[in-house]
Amino acid sequence: MPNSCGPRRSRLLLAVFVVVAGLFPDGVVVVLGREYDVLTNNWLVELNHEGGERVARSVAADTGFEFVAPVMGSDSHFHFVHRGVPHARIRRSVPHTRLLRKHPHVKSAVQQSGFLRHKRGYKPLDNIPVNNVAQPLAAVSSHDNFAHGKKLPLPTDPDFEKEWYLRNTGQSKGVPGLDLNVVEAWNMGYTGKGVTTAIMDDGIDYLHEDLKYNYNADASYDFSSNDPYPYPRYTDTWFNSHGTRCAGEVSAARDNNVCGVGVAYGSMVAGLRMLDQPFMTDLIEANAMGHMPNVIDIYSASWGPTDDGKTVDGPRNLTMRAIVNGVNNGRYGKGNIYVWASGDGGPNDDCNCDGYAASMWTVSINSATNDGRTAGYDESCSSTLASTFSNGKSSSHDAGVATTDLYNNCTASHSGTSAAAPEAAGVYALALEANKNLTWRDIQHLTVLTSKRNSLYDSNGVHKWQLNGARLEFNHLFGYGVLDAAAMVDLASQWKGLPERFHCTAGSVTDEREFSFGQNIHMAIDSDSCVGTENEVNYLEHVQAYVTLRSSYRGTVTMYLTSPMNTTSMILSQRPNDDDDKNGFTRWPFMTTHTWAEVSRGTWSLDVVLEPILGLKNNHETGLFKEWTLVLHGTKTAPYANQPLAVEGVHEKLEMVSRAHESGVVMV
């Protein structure tokens, strides 16, 4: 994703006279005065002919570099590091780059910039609870051990009763029945057997009694230390417990008298350690997201750009290539599933400004509390597909997410959308066991069709539940509702696949327009959905609005996209902390899932509105609009025409969608 879309998060503040060699807790090297790019000691090196790793290692030895690895399994692109260059510096190492480029086998060499990526939902522990560890038992994780539909005894794990997100009986002041409905999925015979989920994070304590039998060592790697052992680095604050907690939510073993149980306790979990370093690079992200895509089924990410309400950032070029390659070619062509935490910036941020969560290639998951409300840290955006759970009411000690913790411990205080994404990954592992042939698109359609409103609501009364033009119920906070594991595996087991997906550029508005308070912009594009071409899209999945504009205070800009079937998506909400007055947005792809399954042909409109910010001294802001390009993604033929109708709770949805198509703008 182009870095020109927002402020450069890899910039540093420099001091006039003093250079501080250390790193402050927020990951910024401070010097005073001017701003500079952060440059790392990593290089992307491209060879000018075939030769692969053997030639790359020779080049590294000739030039004084250290060979690290191929980039996404390439025979021509490689990751080099130079130990004589600091991990972070403010000037490019021109002599080192020149030395590489002069080598007869090198086509290009690019020193890698560094940027910040933050874990979501981490909260310091005041007290570290210690579990009672029994003798290790083999994980109970076999679909073959019980008959389909037979009711199983509940797990005997000591913390299972604290796992209200798995079975909510009203504990911790929750709403009974507001959970992921996984017990019913287990009773149907599904535990995630044969599925591997990679936790892209700060490592996994793979020696933990609740994880070690479900740990996929072959699929794991440490991209921070460049070795196969992604064990977390010790700190006094236990800061690097994040990945271990996420892993337990997915694959913690059942009935072994240790902690709780994972959503997909029969599945495998892999550790991809890549967050525990001062600065992220495009190379590290790309290699993690493209690691063993035919072995790893699901990649779970509980991190992203800074959740400060003013950052606009997303994946760089190599990382985007890795994700696109994963969905197109991973799992032997069925596509990897990338699950992303929507963000912890709260109501003053918008996850459509996070290029990872807002990507149509990822499944963006928000969180809800155990009584059905959105948590105070939850971001909202039109790209969110569904929700799981984070923590409950703060007054209850055990209202957090109960899971595994470092050094064979347990915790009941995991929280944030960090906790939500792995729960979704666990549900998807159950679905993939139910049907190994599911594609990445199938997973998204199953999510839309089987998620439920349940007891979810906006306690502030702002975001209501609505029906889109295809009669599917959605909410700006929760997407299409909370995941229902039993409904998903039931539908997945009967799923017949989808028509081919196409991409239609529906039109553009390119004339510059000024706007200000009280002088909003309304634009329209009349789309024929690329009818008669190879890119015809009549039934929608994702819709993107590529927008270029700037304003004197970016956080006052809000945008609303309305479909031909009269569904309005707020594709950008107000962000009071975003005081940018220079960068604005440059072809930033604002995305909505709210028009899912709608008929696409007709008039689309975009409204750009400046909304005053309470407390802002000068609310006389202005802006300049430059471009809007509308891109439609979906199918030429009706997506659910051949799908089964027997699944309880889904039959009605499919019938309503069919009737909406019959009365829509176009029928194919």
Side-chain angles (χ1 to χ4, degrees):
M1 190 153 296
N3 200 34
S4 59
C5 297
R8 299 290 298 275
R9 302 312 301 166
S10 60
R11 299 299 240 189
L12 301 178
L13 294 175
L14 296 181
V16 176
F17 297 108
V18 181
V19 176
V20 180
L23 294 176
F24 283 77
D26 61 356
V28 177
V29 178
V30 178
V31 207
L32 252 190
R34 297 170 55 195
E35 292 187 347
Y36 292 84
D37 285 340
V38 176
L39 281 308
T40 71
N41 62 344
N42 297 271
W43 270 260
L44 170 64
V45 178
E46 181 183 5
L47 302 183
N48 57 18
H49 60 79
E50 294 184 1
E53 185 173 324
R54 178 184 61 80
V55 173
R57 288 183 179 277
S58 175
V59 171
D62 292 345
T63 54
F65 281 77
E66 181 180 316
F67 173 88
V68 177
V71 178
M72 296 182 290
S74 172
D75 287 330
S76 58
H77 292 78
F78 298 90
H79 181 187
F80 285 11
V81 65
H82 200 294
R83 300 301 178 186
V85 176
H87 289 286
R89 55 182 290 151
I90 61 175
R91 290 187 178 88
R92 293 194 175 274
S93 302
V94 176
H96 295 90
T97 302
R98 185 180 295 127
L99 183 62
L100 284 170
R101 290 175 176 172
K102 286 173 60 178
H103 195 284
H105 293 315
V106 172
K107 180 178 180 179
S108 65
V110 180
Q111 188 177 5
Q112 293 291 287
S113 297
F115 45 88
L116 300 179
R117 291 292 176 259
H118 292 284
K119 306 169 194 177
R120 287 174 169 158
Y122 168 76
K123 299 184 184 301
L125 293 174
D126 295 325
N127 298 298
I128 301 170
V130 179
N131 63 43
N132 296 316
V133 179
Q135 293 298 315
L137 301 173
V140 180
S141 59
S142 175
H143 181 202
D144 304 323
N145 286 345
F146 42 80
H148 181 83
K150 181 180 179 181
K151 190 172 183 179
L152 294 173
L154 293 174
T156 60
D157 305 83
D159 284 352
F160 174 67
E161 288 304 318
K162 297 179 182 179
E163 294 181 292
W164 51 265
Y165 57 97
L166 301 183
R167 181 173 178 265
N168 195 336
T169 59
Q171 66 271 55
S172 301
K173 301 181 180 179
V175 174
L178 179 56
D179 54 43
L180 297 173
N181 200 19
V182 295
V183 173
E184 183 60 30
W186 296 340
N187 288 336
M188 294 164 67
Y190 301 109
T191 66
K193 182 181 179 182
V195 180
T196 293
T197 297
I199 305 297
M200 300 186 293
D201 215 286
D202 56 17
I204 291 179
D205 182 355
Y206 47 79
L207 302 178
H208 198 294
E209 294 290 339
D210 224 14
L211 295 174
K212 65 182 184 181
Y213 295 106
N214 286 343
Y215 177 66
N216 190 334
D218 293 338
S220 299
Y221 196 77
D222 189 329
F223 292 97
S224 295
S225 300
N226 297 311
D227 61 55
Y229 310 105
Y231 199 83
R233 179 177 60 87
Y234 174 78
T235 66
D236 290 337
T237 61
W238 282 38
F239 181 70
N240 291 320
S241 62
H242 197 255
T244 301
R245 295 178 176 191
C246 293
E249 292 179 84
V250 179
S251 296
R254 175 179 172 141
D255 296 337
N256 65 342
N257 201 32
V258 179
C259 298
V261 61
V263 173
Y265 59 80
S267 68
M268 302 291 283
V269 65
L272 300 180
R273 181 172 176 259
M274 38 90 77
L275 283 186
D276 184 25
Q277 51 201 320
F279 295 100
M280 183 58 64
T281 68
D282 194 18
L283 273 174
I284 292 174
E285 281 191 357
N287 275 328
M289 293 183 205
H291 183 69
M292 301 188 73
N294 289 327
V295 176
I296 294 169
D297 301 287
I298 304 165
Y299 296 80
S300 179
S302 293
W303 50 270
T306 310
D307 286 328
D308 57 4
K310 57 184 178 181
T311 296
V312 179
D313 199 1
R316 272 62 170 173
N317 181 50
L318 285 174
T319 301
M320 183 58 72
R321 284 170 52 192
I323 295 173
V324 172
N325 181 67
V327 297
N328 285 328
N329 302 312
R331 296 177 56 239
Y332 298 100
K334 293 184 287 292
N336 298 120
I337 293 91
Y338 293 89
V339 184
W340 223 276
S342 61
D344 287 348
N348 291 333
D349 206 348
D350 188 300
C351 40
N352 247 353
C353 292
D354 174 346
Y356 300 87
S359 170
M360 60 186 177
W361 311 118
T362 67
V363 182
S364 178
I365 298 293
N366 205 354
S367 72
T369 60
N370 63 350
D371 60 351
R373 293 176 295 179
T374 181
Y377 46 73
D378 283 339
E379 295 180 34
S380 62
C381 63
S382 58
S383 57
T384 294
L385 200 63
S387 299
T388 54
F389 298 98
S390 52
N391 55 279
K393 295 181 177 179
S394 58
S395 59
S396 179
H397 176 70
D398 291 331
V401 168
T403 182
T404 51
D405 211 347
L406 290 178
Y407 316 122
N408 232 28
N409 287 286
C410 314
T411 182
S413 61
H414 191 38
S415 64
T417 53
S418 278
E423 292 169 20
V427 172
Y428 295 149
L430 299 176
L432 290 183
E433 183 192 5
N435 186 342
K436 300 292 186 185
N437 294 318
L438 295 177
T439 68
W440 70 275
R441 287 176 56 220
D442 292 329
I443 286 290
Q444 295 205 20
H445 280 268
L446 290 170
T447 297
V448 170
L449 292 173
T450 62
S451 296
K452 292 180 172 57
R453 176 177 178 174
N454 203 310
S455 300
L456 303 183
Y457 70 103
D458 178 12
S459 56
N460 295 317
V462 176
H463 299 295
K464 306 290 186 180
W465 285 91
Q466 305 174 59
L467 290 175
N468 73 6
R471 311 302 292 171
L472 295 172
E473 193 172 33
F474 71 92
N475 184 284
H476 187 73
L477 288 170
F478 303 111
Y480 287 90
V482 63
L483 293 183
D484 185 315
M488 183 171 287
V489 298
D490 195 9
L491 184 56
S493 66
Q494 307 172 57
W495 192 251
K496 297 180 180 180
L498 292 163
E500 187 178 357
R501 171 183 167 97
F502 299 99
H503 315 278
C504 169
T505 300
S508 296
V509 175
T510 57
D511 53 318
E512 293 190 0
R513 307 183 188 188
E514 294 182 350
F515 57 96
S516 60
F517 288 119
Q519 295 182 324
N520 307 322
I521 302 176
H522 176 82
M523 296 163 283
I525 291 176
D526 291 322
S527 172
D528 65 359
S529 301
C530 300
V531 63
T533 74
E534 61 181 9
N535 294 313
E536 184 173 344
V537 173
N538 293 310
Y539 302 94
L540 294 169
E541 292 176 3
H542 308 88
V543 175
Q544 292 176 301
Y546 286 82
V547 175
T548 300
L549 61 79
R550 69 172 186 268
S551 70
S552 55
Y553 197 102
R554 186 168 60 185
T556 61
V557 179
T558 60
M559 290 190 288
Y560 302 85
L561 181 69
T562 301
S563 73
M565 299 190 81
N566 206 34
T567 299
T568 297
S569 303
M570 182 167 60
I571 60 173
L572 177 64
S573 59
Q574 189 183 77
R575 302 204 306 164
N577 298 325
D578 188 358
D579 59 356
D580 172 80
D581 62 354
K582 296 182 178 65
N583 296 292
F585 298 100
T586 303
R587 286 193 56 78
W588 186 259
F590 295 95
M591 195 266 281
T592 182
T593 61
H594 295 170
T595 56
W596 200 275
E598 286 191 1
V599 175
S600 63
R601 192 175 302 176
T603 300
W604 292 80
S605 64
L606 179 69
D607 291 276
V608 181
V609 180
L610 282 183
E611 296 186 2
I613 294 176
L614 184 65
L616 188 64
K617 292 181 180 179
N618 178 12
N619 267 316
H620 302 289
E621 309 302 332
T622 60
L624 178 65
F625 166 85
K626 294 187 176 181
E627 180 186 5
W628 163 40
T629 297
L630 180 67
V631 182
L632 311 174
H633 306 272
T635 59
K636 180 179 179 179
T637 57
Y640 308 133
N642 298 317
Q643 293 303 333
L645 297 177
V647 179
E648 183 180 356
V650 177
H651 172 80
E652 294 82 0
K653 282 188 178 181
L654 292 173
E655 282 195 336
M656 287 191 297
V657 171
S658 178
R659 288 197 296 269
H661 289 169
E662 290 171 2
S663 60
V665 180
V666 62
M667 282 302 299
V668 176

